[in-house]
Amino acid sequence: MLNNYNSEDKVLLSVDCIIFGFDNEGLKILLIKRGFEPEKGKWSLMGGFLKKDESLNKAAIRVLNFYTGLQDIYMEQFYAYSEVDRDPVERTISVAYYALINIENHNAELIKNYEAQWFSISKMPKLIFDHNEMVSHAMRRLRYRTSTKPVGFELLPEKFTMRQLLELYEAILDKKLDKRNFISKINSLDILVKLNEKDMLSSRKGSYLYKFDKEKYDAKLLNHFVLNL
Amino acid sequence: MLNNYNSEDKVLLSVDCIIFGFDNEGLKILLIKRGFEPEKGKWSLMGGFLKKDESLNKAAIRVLNFYTGLQDIYMEQFYAYSEVDRDPVERTISVAYYALINIENHNAELIKNYEAQWFSISKMPKLIFDHNEMVSHAMRRLRYRTSTKPVGFELLPEKFTMRQLLELYEAILDKKLDKRNFISKINSLDILVKLNEKDMLSSRKGSYLYKFDKEKYDAKLLNHFVLNL
DNA sequence: TTAATTAGTGTAGAATGAATACTTATTAGT
DNA sequence: ACTAATAAGTATTCATTCTACACTAATTAA
C-alpha cells in the first residue's frame, strides 16, 4: 500500500467567491481591491488558496469570512477554471463559488472595514485574471436557477413588496416581466405570506408587504419546479 | 511583482471520467479495474492526475485516451470533489467529467485491450473512494440535461428506430414514457429525419429508421429548450 | 376638489400537456 | 393459403397553462 503518489505534479488550488446582493438600485456584486501583487489595487473577486486540511467548501467559507466578516453563508460551487496561464504568477486552478445575500442584513460596517465594495452588475469594473468570465458564468447560473428554484429569500429584506420581488427577477433575468402574469405565477408557487401591513414609501396607495413562508420556500429549494417567466 | 505564491499549500489534482453509453441492453457506464495500489484490482472510474502544463479539459481527454484509446470525446466538467480524506493515500482533489458515447462506434477491441469494461448502470459494482457518488451526480446531471438539450446523437447508432430512442430516454430518466406522447414531443423538436428504410429485426411489421439532422440538433444544443417528458 | 401616482386585479383565446385504443403491416407457423 | 402473433403507427379530447392585454382603486399632495 502506498503512502503517497510520488512524482505527480502538485498545483495551487484556489477558490473565488461571487457574492450577489440586491437593493433598490438593482443587482450587485461584492468585490475587493486586491491587496497584493500582482495586480495590487485592481478589482477582484474574493479569493484564496485551499489549505491541505480543508475541503473546497470550507475554503470558500473561510475566504469569504476573511474578506467580509460574513458568516454562515451557503455558497454553491459551480466551475473549476484551469487554463494554464490564467494566473500570470504561478499555475493556479481556481474553483468558483457563488452565493446570494441580503445587502442590508449584512452590515455595511463590516464590509467597509474589510474594503469589500458592492458594484452594480451593469457597472462592474474590469477584474483581474479570468474573474469577469467567472462572473458572467455565475450570472448565467443564477438566471437559470430562477427557473427551477425560488430566489429572493436570500436577497430581499424580510418584508418586501411585490414590486421589489418583480424588480429582483427583472434584474436577474435582465428583461421586463408582465406584472400581472408575474404575480399569478409567483402566487402559484405558494411560498409567500401576504401581511396586513403596507409600505407607504413607494406610492400614495401603499403596497402590501409580503414575507416568505420559510418552510414552503425550503421545501421548494429541494424539490425543483419549472417556472417560465 | 511576484514570481510565485510561496508558502501556500499545493495539492494533487486529478480528473475522473464518467463515460455513458447505450445499447440494446440499456444505459451503461465504462469502468476500469484499477491497476495500482491502493485498491488495486477494484473497479474504478478512469482517472489520472493533472499535469502542470495542461488544463483540466486536456487532462480529462488525455486520461480517457490513455485508458480506452478514445479520441475526440467532448466531456463536460461537472463538479470538484474535495473532502479531505476522499483518497486515503494522499490529499487529492478530483474534478469529475462526464460524456456520452456510442458503444458500437467506439470499438470493443480498443476497450478490450485497455481493460475498460461496460457495466449496466443498474448492475454497477461498488467503486473505489467516492466514485459511486460521482456517478450518481453525473446521472442526475444527465437526467436534467434531457429536459434542456437533445440527447441521443452521441449514444445511438447513426440510424435508429423510435423505439430505441424511447428506450434511451426511459433508461436515462428511469421511468416508463407513453409512446404516443413521446413521439409527438420528439417530433416537435424537429431534429429527426425519417428515412425510407425499415429495421425488420424487432418486429414483423418493421419500424422506420430515423437519423438526427445534425445541423438542427447542434443548433438545439446551443439554444436550450424545455422538454417535459 | 382635483390631479397625480402606483397598486391591484381578470379574462379570453392560444398553446401545450396528459390520457387514452384501435388499426396496420408483416411473417412464422400450421 | 390462412391464421395468429407481434410490434408499429397513428388522433382526439379534455384539462391545464401561458400570453396578451387595460381598467379601477386607494391615497395624498397641491
Side-chain angles (χ1 to χ4, degrees), chain B residues 12-75:
Chain B
L12 289 167
L13 192 49
S14 69
V15 294
D16 283 298
C17 304
I18 294 158
I19 306 297
F20 291 109
F22 183 73
D23 66 13
N24 46 25
E25 292 171 350
L27 196 61
K28 300 193 167 174
I29 186 173
L30 196 54
L31 300 175
I32 56 162
K33 208 171 247 175
R34 189 165 156 105
F36 54 94
E37 293 294 347
E39 306 279 6
K40 183 169 175 176
K42 301 272 179 67
W43 290 104
S44 159
L45 294 171
M46 291 160 287
F49 293 98
L50 177 77
K51 295 186 187 301
K52 265 217 166 61
D53 59 353
E54 69 185 351
S55 65
L56 287 164
N57 286 353
K58 290 261 170 66
I61 289 168
R62 171 177 58 75
V63 164
L64 180 63
N65 178 265
F66 174 79
Y67 281 112
T68 65
L70 292 169
Q71 304 242 15
D72 297 321
I73 303 295
Y74 171 73
M75 283 179 279

Side-chain angles (χ1 to χ4, degrees), chain A residues 126-165:
Chain A
K126 162 127 184 44
L127 306 179
I128 63 165
F129 306 165
D130 49 4
H131 288 191
N132 287 93
E133 188 187 353
M134 291 179 181
V135 172
S136 80
H137 289 176
M139 272 300 298
R140 204 196 305 158
R141 181 70 68 110
L142 175 57
R143 246 172 233 138
Y144 164 67
R145 212 189 110 109
T146 59
S147 66
T148 58
K149 299 190 178 186
V151 171
F153 191 81
E154 308 86 351
L155 291 166
L156 293 171
E158 195 195 340
K159 299 172 182 180
F160 53 89
T161 64
M162 266 299 174
R163 163 171 286 245
Q164 285 177 289
L165 187 60

Side-chain angles (χ1 to χ4, degrees), chain A residues 2-5 8-11 34 37 49 51-52 54 56 77 80 82 87 89-91 144, chain B residues 2-5 8-11 34 37 51-52 54 56 77 80 82 87 89-91 144:
Chain A
L2 299 178
N3 298 320
N4 57 49
Y5 302 118
E8 299 292 349
D9 295 342
K10 293 188 178 183
V11 294
R34 189 164 156 106
E37 292 296 348
F49 293 98
K51 295 185 186 303
K52 266 217 166 61
E54 67 184 352
L56 287 163
Q77 183 195 306
S82 65
D87 184 321
V89 175
E90 192 173 355
R91 181 77 204 282
Y144 164 67
Chain B
L2 297 178
N3 299 320
N4 58 51
Y5 302 118
E8 299 293 349
D9 295 343
K10 292 189 178 182
V11 293
R34 189 165 156 105
E37 293 294 347
K51 295 186 187 301
K52 265 217 166 61
E54 69 185 351
L56 287 164
Q77 183 195 307
S82 65
D87 185 322
V89 175
E90 192 172 353
R91 181 77 204 281
Y144 165 67

